[in-house]
Amino acid sequence: MKIDSGSTAWMLVSTALVLLMTPGLAFFYGGMTRAKSVLNMMMMSFVAIITVTIAWVAYGYSLAFDASDGFLNKFVGGLDNIGLMGVNEAAYNDTFPMMVFSAFQLTFAIITVALISGAIADRAKFGAWVVFTVVWATIVYFPVAHWVWGGGWLTELGIEDFAGGTVVHINAGAAALALALVLGKRSGWRKEPMRPHNLTLVLLGVGLLWFGWFGFNAGSELAADATAGLAFMNTQVATAIAAGAWLVVEKLRDGHATTLGVASGAVAGLVAITPACGFVDVWAAALIGLLAGAVCAWAVGLKYKFGFDDSLDVVGVHLVGGVIGAVALGFVANYPFLDGQEKGLIYTGSFRQLGLQVLGPVVVGLYSFVLTYIIGKVIDKTMGFRIAQEDEVTGIDITTHAETGYDLGTIHSSGVSSLNGPAVPAEAKKVDA
């Protein structure tokens, strides 16, 4: 097996960076929930690492990337790589081991599933979520990854998605909307304050996401070359401008520029540039970031207008941001370091690529929404998907996991906290005059 050590090293680093994004997402989502739900929210991300890894090794990689012959391969991969059989002996384009490619793609599958959890914070049964992660990855993510990246029918049509705007973000955003509808609104939604309990965690999480996203985007070139460098820079430019644009919208609309706003704007920019980062010039990345920051800042309010409780704005940021990036690619795609690609509308005057870039989000979004709604309903009817209202009010951390995120101890009548050791009787605290 012939490999290039430089590309292999870069892909190993990129894989680790993308895996880091899921713990980063856990911090980001955890900080945005109420204090009584933080552990459950973070656990939903961490358990996705476990379940999706098992499913990927068992059959997921094969369903997504096995290019078997036949009509069915337009829609799903074959079974030749079950249990990763045959993967260890192959190399990706004679540059790095195929096992590294499989590990890299696994990290994408993990975070796509974890993203959905933000829409159902505070109210989902943990066991039902565990089942959902496996079923959804199997029926939705693996086939969609094959359609776009694995040689499936959207690949054949010529749809472009450099690093996952359609496969990851539109896919997860549409699923989040469906699952939010299945579970319904949180108890007290729009009547009680449900503000983020720890913005420090939110900023830590978005910092880890931003850092890991360079592996997500630049690593998707699958080589250490000029296109990877372009993707890296475009990721930074779009994210910074999107964060700034969100702050400007907040300031003009609400009179305040907030830490939650800068975090949300950064994620919106990361999402929107993902499908286009290796295919557009830097000026276009800046434009995509500007659109994402401004539009997503508006879009997160749609849940109030339409009455669905998307707890942590997965729809407003990931679905809307993913659509912005995918469709914008149809206008501004230039492929600076790639030859023979269909450029965007402003370069060619042709609507062909734009039409394809609209088709991808529509098809994937509808497929994900419908299948997720069905999966969610089946789980809800069989094992129940939502916790009891009493448990939700008490707090899902304590009722489901028997833990709390912040064990501050019991304040005794003496005023001494148990954090400092056993409570001291008041009379024992007297000092000599």
Side-chain angles (χ1 to χ4, degrees), residues 408-428:
L408 301 179
T410 303
I411 303 300
H412 296 271
S413 59
S414 64
V416 180
S417 170
S418 62
L419 279 178
N420 299 317
V424 181
E427 58 271 19

Side-chain angles (χ1 to χ4, degrees), residues 137-225:
T138 303
I139 297 177
V140 180
Y141 183 83
F142 299 155
V144 168
H146 181 76
W147 297 355
V148 179
W149 290 335
W153 68 284
L154 290 179
T155 307
E156 293 179 353
L157 285 176
I159 287 173
E160 298 284 11
D161 184 5
F162 189 83
T166 302
V167 176
V168 176
H169 299 291
I170 292 171
N171 200 3
L177 176 59
L179 215 53
L181 295 176
V182 170
L183 269 70
K185 305 176 184 67
R186 285 169 290 179
S187 179
W189 186 62
R190 302 203 71 177
K191 297 177 183 177
E192 301 174 7
M194 296 182 178
R195 294 185 292 271
H197 88 282
N198 191 330
L199 289 168
T200 307
L201 285 186
V202 172
L203 292 177
L204 171 62
V206 80
L208 291 172
L209 284 169
W210 197 331
F211 178 66
W213 221 291
F214 291 112
F216 196 85
N217 283 0
S220 290
E221 168 59 2
L222 305 176
D225 60 13

Side-chain angles (χ1 to χ4, degrees), residues 181-389:
L181 295 176
V182 170
L183 269 70
K185 305 176 184 67
R186 285 169 290 179
S187 179
W189 186 62
R190 302 203 71 177
K191 297 177 183 177
E192 301 174 7
M194 296 182 178
R195 294 185 292 271
H197 88 282
N198 191 330
L199 289 168
T200 307
L201 285 186
V202 172
L203 292 177
L204 171 62
V206 80
L208 291 172
L209 284 169
W210 197 331
F211 178 66
W213 221 291
F214 291 112
F216 196 85
N217 283 0
S220 290
E221 168 59 2
L222 305 176
D225 60 13
T227 297
L230 177 67
F232 195 107
M233 178 56 80
N234 282 343
T235 299
Q236 175 63 22
V237 169
T239 305
I241 292 178
W246 191 299
L247 290 180
V248 170
V249 170
E250 274 194 329
K251 181 65 175 177
L252 294 174
R253 182 185 62 197
D254 309 321
H256 303 283
T258 68
T259 51
L260 181 60
V262 76
S264 299
V267 173
L270 290 164
V271 169
I273 196 58
T274 290
C277 57
F279 297 147
V280 300
D281 295 308
V282 174
W283 71 264
L287 177 61
I288 291 171
L290 181 65
L291 288 172
V295 174
C296 290
W298 164 81
V300 294
L302 292 176
K303 63 183 180 182
Y304 301 115
K305 182 177 181 180
F306 293 105
F308 62 91
D309 185 8
D310 171 19
S311 308
L312 307 183
D313 298 319
V314 184
V315 176
V317 174
H318 293 273
L319 178 57
V320 174
V323 170
I324 289 171
V327 174
L329 186 57
F331 287 96
V332 297
N334 190 34
Y335 309 101
F337 300 107
L338 299 172
D339 297 324
Q341 304 290 107
E342 185 76 30
K343 294 189 177 184
L345 176 64
I346 68 168
Y347 293 100
T348 64
S350 169
F351 285 88
R352 182 181 182 278
Q353 193 62 40
L354 177 60
L356 290 174
Q357 295 308 122
V358 172
L359 176 65
V362 169
V363 170
V364 170
L366 286 175
Y367 178 80
S368 179
F369 179 86
V370 172
L371 267 293
T372 303
Y373 192 86
I374 293 171
I375 295 166
K377 278 293 186 183
V378 170
I379 292 175
D380 191 43
K381 295 296 183 183
T382 53
M383 62 185 298
F385 214 139
R386 182 162 180 162
I387 62 175
Q389 184 177 2

Side-chain angles (χ1 to χ4, degrees), residues 74-93:
K74 291 180 179 292
F75 304 99
V76 69
L79 301 177
D80 291 346
N81 298 130
I82 290 290
L84 299 183
M85 289 189 300
V87 176
N88 211 34
E89 294 79 31
Y92 184 89
N93 288 344

